[in-house]
Amino acid sequence: GHEDEAAPLIEELMEEGSSSVPKGVVWLMAHSALAEAITLAGTEDQAAQEYSLLEPYAGRVPSIGAVARPSVNHSLGTLAARAGWPEKARSHFTAACEEHERFGAIGWLARTRLEWARMLCRSGERDGDKPAARALLLQSKQGAEQLGVADVADDSEMLLREIS
């Protein structure tokens, strides 16, 4: 909710390039978090740039010890959506959902479904987008409520109301 404050920080990190986070154990975690920030407050160009950095890591899960983030395919899906590449985004969201289901990661699955639905609501370029978004949002809301992930449940409910 602080996009105005986030934008200059994103710009600063993007100007420094990969050198701002040295390669190592935290690199993928840091870029996963940066991808989330870019999705919320970055530009299409920043999304495309970050996408190219993360693309080789598709299929991996950023983690350090017991702390993990959603699949890199989730990040690639959100970045592709932000960059204006809906077909790439659909492909990554599909892969992320499959990965999260396989892991039993209900919270991440709910979040990925929410972001996929958000993209479908924004693009609205295909006839089936609205019904597909509705189905994803219902699944997202159910999974989020099951785990008590209030922000995802609330966002899913809000988007459901907007497209009804």
Side-chain angles (χ1 to χ4, degrees):
H2 298 272
E3 289 85 358
D4 291 344
E5 294 172 34
L9 296 173
I10 293 167
E11 183 66 33
E12 182 180 328
L13 287 169
M14 298 302 289
E15 283 176 5
E16 292 176 16
S18 293
S19 65
S20 64
V21 180
K23 284 279 188 178
V25 71
V26 298
W27 188 91
L28 196 54
M29 288 284 280
H31 279 277
S32 173
L34 180 57
E36 187 175 341
I38 290 168
T39 298
L40 296 170
T43 66
E44 288 180 13
D45 288 342
Q46 289 168 336
Q49 183 180 344
E50 189 66 14
Y51 179 96
S52 68
L53 283 175
L54 285 177
E55 189 176 25
Y57 301 93
R60 295 193 184 173
V61 175
S63 64
I64 299 175
V67 178
R69 294 193 44 88
S71 162
V72 172
N73 272 310
H74 170 89
S75 297
L76 290 169
T78 61
L79 290 167
R82 183 73 182 99
W85 308 327
E87 291 310 313
K88 281 186 178 186
R90 289 173 204 272
S91 175
H92 288 297
F93 284 138
T94 299
C97 284
E98 290 169 359
E99 291 161 355
H100 295 156
E101 282 184 62
R102 191 170 62 249
F103 304 150
I106 298 166
W108 294 345
L109 180 57
R111 191 169 301 278
T112 298
R113 287 173 170 160
L114 169 62
E115 293 306 326
W116 190 353
R118 195 184 314 269
M119 183 211 59
L120 292 173
C121 290
R122 287 182 183 145
S123 68
E125 57 185 41
R126 299 192 323 194
D127 288 340
D129 282 355
K130 192 172 179 180
R134 185 175 289 110
L136 287 165
L137 289 167
L138 289 170
Q139 293 171 326
S140 174
K141 185 174 182 267
Q142 179 184 17
E145 287 174 343
Q146 180 181 342
L147 287 180
V149 184
D151 64 327
V152 174
D154 292 347
D155 286 356
S156 297
E157 178 64 33
M158 183 179 64
L159 271 177
L160 276 167
R161 277 189 251 123
E162 285 179 19
I163 64 172
S164 294

